[in-house]
Amino acid sequence: MKGKIIKSTGSWYQVLELETGKIFEARIRGKFKLIKTRLTNPLAVGDFVEFQLEKDDIAWITNIEPRKNYLIRKSVNLSKEAHIIASNIDLACFIFTFKYPETSLGFLDRFLACCEAYNITPLILFNKMDVLTDEEQEVIKDIEFLYNEIGYETLEISSYSKLNLEKLQTLLKDRTSVFFGHSGCGKSTLVNALQPDLNLKTSEISETHLKGKHTTTFAQMYFWDFGGNVIDTPGVREFAMIDIQKEEVQHYFPEIFKKREECKFHNCLHINEPKCAVIASLETGEIQYSRYSTYLKLMEESEENFQK
């Protein structure tokens, strides 16, 4: 039997049988846990699998089909390990909040680099626009312009004022999407606004730290009435790229990769080489310092990973 993983709690999974639409509680055979990998979870929401039914309709997953893509985060307790957040994604929506909680550009850039690395189409959603002052909205428009220039699609939204929610539904229709962002950025509230009968649990922002409280504790797939589905994920603190050489990192920053052709040396890493077009572009503003800073950090992390 063939199915799709629609919920993961760590040791148990829910599998949607593709032919009938019936949902089964499932576990994996012990041999899957023996696969040598730097990933802490052998299965993720979005995976296509083969499974067998045994007594009491308990499903045993026997095979995982190859993934077309996936996004991963750093494992909380194991620095050398990573955790698959979701797989087989058509559209990865990054929910950016200017405040309540504040989202850094570095976090956004890391997410975009991961999307480039794993061949996922990103969409930047500027959420909670209804709580921003006129000056803050102008800052958001400046940020939008920068990312549109690089080639990324953006959309200003609000779950409360319903700003651009119909347009967002059109972008999500008939696709497998996933919402990412810090805890408290409004993922669950947005899902509820797009389809109220899902009634996902939401939480208030912590007044002490102005950060969100975790309300989603495991990944789960929900199906839109207007077509397609969304994978709701726990708040992610840091995305990761594994098994990527430092020389490859520039491939995942489109504006840096484009400029490399103008560098004096074909193998330029854009750190301190002479006549580097990328470094020159920082001075002219063609490349943003915030993006370049994330690029350098990912280069360092890649080198450290391969030394371990």
Side-chain angles (χ1 to χ4, degrees), residues 222-267:
Y222 297 94
F223 293 85
W224 303 121
D225 288 343
F226 54 83
N229 53 73
V230 61
I231 301 173
D232 189 34
T233 64
V236 178
R237 287 190 173 87
E238 194 167 8
F239 295 96
M241 292 193 294
I242 60 172
D243 298 331
I244 288 176
Q245 301 276 358
K246 71 174 185 178
E247 291 80 9
E248 296 178 63
V249 175
Q250 62 180 298
H251 292 232
Y252 312 128
F253 289 78
E255 71 278 37
I256 292 177
F257 190 64
K258 183 179 179 180
K259 274 289 176 184
R260 85 197 190 285
E261 297 176 358
E262 300 174 26
C263 294
K264 179 179 180 180
F265 300 104
H266 73 278
N267 60 346

XYZ file of all heavy atoms in Angstrom, residues 222-267:
399
model
N -2.280 19.738 7.031
C -3.704 20.065 7.002
C -4.111 20.316 5.552
O -3.316 20.830 4.756
C -4.000 21.305 7.847
C -3.687 21.126 9.317
C -2.447 21.510 9.831
C -4.614 20.554 10.185
C -2.149 21.343 11.173
C -4.323 20.384 11.537
C -3.089 20.772 12.023
O -2.791 20.590 13.349
N -5.350 19.985 5.225
C -5.810 20.075 3.845
C -6.756 21.265 3.675
O -7.704 21.427 4.436
C -6.490 18.767 3.431
C -5.528 17.614 3.364
C -5.214 16.890 4.507
C -4.894 17.287 2.175
C -4.295 15.847 4.468
C -3.972 16.252 2.116
C -3.671 15.534 3.262
N -6.449 22.100 2.671
C -7.271 23.273 2.391
C -8.544 22.876 1.651
O -8.503 22.036 0.745
C -6.516 24.267 1.510
C -5.195 24.778 1.983
C -4.000 24.655 1.339
C -4.934 25.564 3.162
N -3.008 25.297 2.039
C -3.547 25.857 3.162
C -5.733 26.026 4.206
C -2.955 26.606 4.173
C -5.136 26.773 5.229
C -3.779 27.056 5.200
N -9.647 23.525 1.977
C -10.889 23.321 1.225
C -10.744 23.853 -0.193
O -11.401 23.369 -1.124
C -12.061 24.035 1.918
C -12.482 23.347 3.208
O -12.112 22.169 3.399
O -13.184 23.984 4.023
N -9.878 24.871 -0.375
C -9.703 25.461 -1.701
C -8.671 24.706 -2.545
O -8.351 25.099 -3.657
C -9.335 26.949 -1.591
C -8.147 27.254 -0.718
C -6.852 27.155 -1.203
C -8.322 27.651 0.606
C -5.758 27.439 -0.410
C -7.234 27.955 1.412
C -5.948 27.847 0.909
N -8.129 23.590 -2.018
C -7.204 22.749 -2.786
C -5.779 22.837 -2.299
O -5.274 23.936 -2.031
N -5.128 21.689 -2.153
C -3.762 21.656 -1.662
C -3.715 21.421 -0.160
O -4.737 21.108 0.481
N -2.528 21.565 0.410
C -2.361 21.311 1.833
C -1.203 22.136 2.376
O -0.401 22.679 1.624
C -2.131 19.815 2.093
C -0.994 19.245 1.275
O 0.175 19.512 1.548
N -1.315 18.470 0.243
N -1.146 22.218 3.695
C -0.086 22.971 4.357
C 0.486 22.124 5.478
O -0.241 21.386 6.152
C -0.614 24.314 4.917
C -1.709 24.097 5.955
C 0.524 25.147 5.493
N 1.788 22.206 5.655
C 2.449 21.522 6.768
C 2.736 22.574 7.829
O 3.499 23.516 7.597
C 3.756 20.842 6.317
C 3.462 19.809 5.209
C 4.442 20.156 7.500
C 4.706 19.197 4.585
N 2.089 22.438 8.982
C 2.330 23.344 10.106
C 3.484 22.764 10.914
O 3.494 21.574 11.239
C 1.066 23.461 10.966
C 1.196 24.551 12.018
O 1.843 25.564 11.741
O 0.653 24.378 13.128
N 4.449 23.603 11.233
C 5.665 23.116 11.884
C 5.906 23.839 13.207
O 5.430 24.959 13.411
C 6.901 23.367 10.988
O 7.071 24.785 10.845
C 6.719 22.732 9.624
N 6.655 23.214 14.121
C 7.050 23.935 15.338
C 7.921 25.132 14.983
O 8.542 25.167 13.923
C 7.878 22.883 16.112
C 7.467 21.572 15.538
C 7.138 21.839 14.103
N 7.961 26.123 15.848
C 8.820 27.283 15.601
C 10.264 26.850 15.435
O 10.788 26.063 16.221
N 10.898 27.331 14.387
C 12.270 26.941 14.074
C 13.224 28.051 14.491
O 13.032 29.209 14.131
C 12.421 26.663 12.560
C 13.862 26.312 12.225
C 11.489 25.527 12.148
N 14.250 27.707 15.264
C 15.221 28.722 15.694
C 16.356 28.885 14.701
O 16.913 29.947 14.552
C 15.778 28.354 17.079
C 14.778 28.570 18.196
C 15.434 28.431 19.560
N 14.510 28.806 20.627
C 13.650 27.985 21.196
N 13.588 26.731 20.803
N 12.845 28.396 22.151
N 16.720 27.804 14.006
C 17.837 27.930 13.073
C 17.772 26.844 12.009
O 17.664 25.661 12.319
C 19.171 27.840 13.824
C 20.353 28.281 12.995
C 21.601 28.491 13.836
O 21.599 28.152 15.032
O 22.582 28.997 13.286
N 17.807 27.273 10.751
C 17.858 26.332 9.638
C 19.299 25.857 9.443
O 20.239 26.487 9.911
C 17.350 26.987 8.354
C 15.907 27.354 8.403
C 15.515 28.636 8.744
C 14.925 26.422 8.127
C 14.183 28.997 8.805
C 13.585 26.755 8.175
C 13.210 28.042 8.519
N 19.451 24.748 8.739
C 20.790 24.193 8.563
C 20.961 23.669 7.139
O 20.002 23.301 6.473
C 21.027 23.070 9.561
N 22.213 23.661 6.706
C 22.583 22.994 5.462
C 23.670 21.989 5.806
O 24.660 22.345 6.452
C 23.099 23.999 4.427
C 22.041 24.945 3.924
S 22.554 25.883 2.442
C 23.852 26.894 3.084
N 23.459 20.758 5.433
C 24.443 19.727 5.753
C 25.079 19.211 4.464
O 24.504 19.279 3.390
C 23.816 18.558 6.543
C 22.690 17.900 5.733
C 23.300 19.039 7.887
C 22.162 16.626 6.376
N 26.296 18.714 4.619
C 27.034 18.110 3.504
C 27.191 19.059 2.310
O 27.124 18.651 1.156
C 26.365 16.803 3.066
C 26.359 15.779 4.188
O 27.281 15.818 5.025
O 25.433 14.955 4.256
N 27.410 20.328 2.613
C 27.639 21.311 1.557
C 29.022 21.928 1.756
O 29.339 22.437 2.834
C 26.545 22.406 1.582
C 25.226 21.802 1.079
C 26.938 23.601 0.724
C 24.054 22.731 1.144
N 29.858 21.834 0.740
C 31.207 22.379 0.804
C 31.149 23.903 0.833
O 30.247 24.520 0.247
C 32.009 21.930 -0.422
C 32.127 20.434 -0.581
C 33.257 19.846 0.239
O 33.994 20.564 0.903
N 33.408 18.538 0.181
N 32.141 24.510 1.481
C 32.111 25.973 1.593
C 32.172 26.645 0.222
O 31.638 27.738 0.028
C 33.243 26.458 2.505
C 34.637 26.344 1.923
C 35.649 26.997 2.868
C 37.044 27.021 2.259
N 38.013 27.700 3.148
N 32.819 25.991 -0.746
C 32.901 26.563 -2.092
C 31.525 26.610 -2.769
O 31.321 27.372 -3.723
C 33.858 25.736 -2.963
C 35.318 25.822 -2.566
C 35.675 24.920 -1.383
O 34.819 24.092 -0.972
O 36.800 25.040 -0.866
N 30.597 25.795 -2.278
C 29.260 25.740 -2.877
C 28.328 26.815 -2.352
O 27.310 27.112 -2.987
C 28.615 24.371 -2.600
C 29.306 23.180 -3.217
C 28.603 21.894 -2.819
O 27.423 21.720 -3.189
O 29.201 21.072 -2.104
N 28.632 27.376 -1.192
C 27.688 28.268 -0.520
C 27.282 29.440 -1.401
O 26.113 29.860 -1.412
C 28.270 28.770 0.829
C 27.351 29.798 1.463
C 28.483 27.599 1.779
N 28.221 29.983 -2.187
C 27.900 31.142 -3.020
C 26.828 30.824 -4.066
O 26.137 31.726 -4.551
C 29.156 31.683 -3.693
C 29.843 30.717 -4.644
C 31.086 31.343 -5.262
O 31.005 32.346 -5.971
N 32.242 30.776 -4.965
N 26.660 29.549 -4.385
C 25.632 29.146 -5.352
C 24.239 29.463 -4.839
O 23.287 29.545 -5.630
C 25.728 27.646 -5.648
C 26.963 27.249 -6.384
N 26.935 26.494 -7.546
C 28.277 27.494 -6.134
C 28.178 26.294 -7.970
N 29.010 26.890 -7.136
N 24.096 29.598 -3.523
C 22.777 29.744 -2.908
C 22.455 31.178 -2.528
O 21.476 31.438 -1.827
C 22.687 28.798 -1.706
C 23.163 27.399 -2.066
C 24.120 26.740 -1.318
C 22.671 26.768 -3.209
C 24.577 25.475 -1.686
C 23.121 25.510 -3.590
C 24.075 24.876 -2.828
O 24.527 23.640 -3.200
N 23.265 32.107 -3.013
C 23.006 33.542 -2.896
C 23.016 34.094 -4.322
O 24.091 34.403 -4.861
C 24.064 34.219 -2.026
C 23.953 33.886 -0.560
C 24.408 32.666 -0.074
C 23.375 34.789 0.323
C 24.293 32.342 1.273
C 23.258 34.487 1.673
C 23.708 33.260 2.152
N 21.869 34.185 -4.963
C 21.812 34.500 -6.403
C 22.596 35.740 -6.814
O 23.278 35.728 -7.852
C 20.312 34.704 -6.656
C 19.647 33.864 -5.613
C 20.516 33.953 -4.399
N 22.537 36.823 -6.021
C 23.220 38.048 -6.409
C 24.740 37.910 -6.273
O 25.497 38.525 -7.039
C 22.709 39.246 -5.581
C 23.125 39.266 -4.117
C 22.292 38.424 -3.183
O 21.861 37.317 -3.584
O 22.096 38.856 -2.030
N 25.204 37.078 -5.343
C 26.642 36.811 -5.198
C 27.111 35.897 -6.319
O 28.157 36.131 -6.940
C 26.939 36.187 -3.815
C 26.699 37.232 -2.713
C 28.378 35.654 -3.754
C 26.902 36.708 -1.305
N 26.328 34.880 -6.620
C 26.693 33.924 -7.668
C 26.769 34.617 -9.032
O 27.635 34.321 -9.857
C 25.669 32.793 -7.703
C 26.070 31.639 -8.578
C 27.198 30.880 -8.274
C 25.334 31.304 -9.707
C 27.578 29.807 -9.083
C 25.709 30.237 -10.505
C 26.826 29.490 -10.197
N 25.879 35.574 -9.241
C 25.869 36.307 -10.506
C 27.113 37.173 -10.659
O 27.700 37.280 -11.742
C 24.605 37.173 -10.573
C 24.443 37.935 -11.869
C 23.150 38.738 -11.847
C 22.975 39.534 -13.135
N 21.715 40.325 -13.103
N 27.565 37.777 -9.559
C 28.716 38.685 -9.585
C 30.053 37.955 -9.731
O 31.056 38.560 -10.106
C 28.736 39.535 -8.314
C 27.899 40.792 -8.391
C 28.556 41.801 -9.331
C 27.712 43.034 -9.529
N 28.298 43.954 -10.515
N 30.065 36.660 -9.405
C 31.338 35.921 -9.377
C 32.047 35.966 -10.723
O 33.283 35.892 -10.802
C 31.094 34.467 -8.964
C 30.706 33.562 -10.118
C 30.078 32.243 -9.717
N 29.967 31.348 -10.861
C 29.072 31.493 -11.822
N 28.227 32.511 -11.820
N 29.024 30.638 -12.824
N 31.290 36.101 -11.813
C 31.881 36.115 -13.153
C 32.776 37.335 -13.372
O 33.625 37.329 -14.257
C 30.758 36.087 -14.206
C 29.911 34.817 -14.168
C 28.765 34.866 -15.158
O 28.624 35.908 -15.839
O 28.014 33.881 -15.252
N 32.571 38.370 -12.569
C 33.354 39.592 -12.715
C 34.594 39.605 -11.830
O 35.397 40.556 -11.895
C 32.471 40.809 -12.394
C 31.245 40.935 -13.304
C 30.326 42.057 -12.862
O 30.823 43.007 -12.216
O 29.117 41.993 -13.155
N 34.752 38.578 -10.988
C 35.926 38.514 -10.110
C 37.187 38.188 -10.923
O 37.118 37.507 -11.954
C 35.720 37.452 -9.033
S 34.403 37.840 -7.860
N 38.317 38.627 -10.432
C 39.583 38.386 -11.138
C 39.901 36.894 -11.184
O 40.349 36.378 -12.212
C 40.719 39.137 -10.440
C 42.083 38.915 -11.089
C 43.184 39.696 -10.384
C 44.530 39.446 -11.075
N 45.643 40.193 -10.423
N 39.644 36.184 -10.061
C 39.959 34.751 -9.996
C 38.675 33.919 -10.093
O 37.685 34.215 -9.407
C 40.697 34.432 -8.697
C 41.996 35.186 -8.538
C 42.093 36.272 -7.672
C 43.110 34.823 -9.272
C 43.277 36.974 -7.527
C 44.307 35.518 -9.145
C 44.402 36.592 -8.285
N 38.719 32.879 -10.913
C 37.511 32.087 -11.145
C 37.087 31.313 -9.896
O 35.923 30.951 -9.742
C 37.736 31.112 -12.314
C 38.626 29.952 -11.982
N 40.008 30.062 -11.998
C 38.340 28.675 -11.605
C 40.532 28.891 -11.656
N 39.551 28.036 -11.412
N 38.056 31.062 -8.984
C 37.745 30.329 -7.761
C 37.633 31.254 -6.553
O 37.838 30.851 -5.410
C 38.800 29.250 -7.501
C 40.202 29.832 -7.347
O 40.431 30.988 -7.686
N 41.125 29.021 -6.847
